[in-house]
C-alpha cells in the first residue's frame, strides 16, 4: 500500500493526504527538528487540517514568522512532504 494519496485538487495539502506514520518538521533558521506522530496530529486537529495550518500552529511565537514588517521569514518546512512528492499547496506539484 502506498504511503501517499495523489493530489488532484487545487487545495492545500491536508493531514489526510499524507499517509506516512511520521511527520518530519525542520527549520533551517532556528536549527530545529521534530518528528510528529501523524495519528496523534489527526486526533488532535482532524484529518482536514492543512500543513499550512500545522506550520502556523507549530511556529506560534516565532519572531521570524511574526516580523514587524509583516514578511514571513520563517523557514519551517516538512521534509516528509518533499520525500512523498507532495507540497504545501497541491497546485505546486509538477
Amino acid at each position: 500500500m502506498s504511503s501517499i494519496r495523489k493530489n488532484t485538487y487545487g487545495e492545500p495539502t491536508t493531514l489526510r493526504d499524507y499517509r506516512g506514520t511520521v511527520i518530519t518538521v525542520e527549520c533551517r533558521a532556528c536549527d530545529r527538528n521534530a518528528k510528529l506522530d501523524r495519528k496523534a496530529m489527526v486526533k488532535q486537529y482532524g484529518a482536514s487540517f492543512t500543513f499550512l495550518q500545522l506550520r502556523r500552529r507549530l511556529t506560534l511565537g516565532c519572531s521570524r514568522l511574526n516580523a514587524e514588517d509583516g514578511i514571513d521569514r520563517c523557514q519551517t518546512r516538512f521534509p516528509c512532504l518533499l520525500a512523498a512528492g507532495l507540497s504545501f499547496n497541491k497546485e505546486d506539484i509538477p
Side-chain angles (χ1 to χ4, degrees), residues 4 9-11 13 49 57 61 64 70 74 77-78 85 89 93-94:
I4 63 169
Y9 307 104
E11 302 167 359
T13 302
F49 204 69
R57 184 68 55 109
R64 289 182 174 89
C74 180
R77 63 189 202 108
F78 299 94
N89 295 306
I93 299 172

Side-chain angles (χ1 to χ4, degrees), residues 43-76:
K43 186 174 182 178
Q44 183 173 358
Y45 299 116
S48 62
F49 204 69
T50 68
F51 276 87
L52 292 171
Q53 292 170 315
L54 183 60
R55 176 184 180 262
R56 190 78 147 146
R57 184 68 55 109
L58 295 173
T59 58
L60 283 175
C62 175
S63 62
R64 289 182 174 89
L65 182 67
N66 302 312
E68 289 182 20
D69 57 7
I71 298 173
D72 179 355
R73 292 187 176 84
C74 180
Q75 295 180 21
T76 298

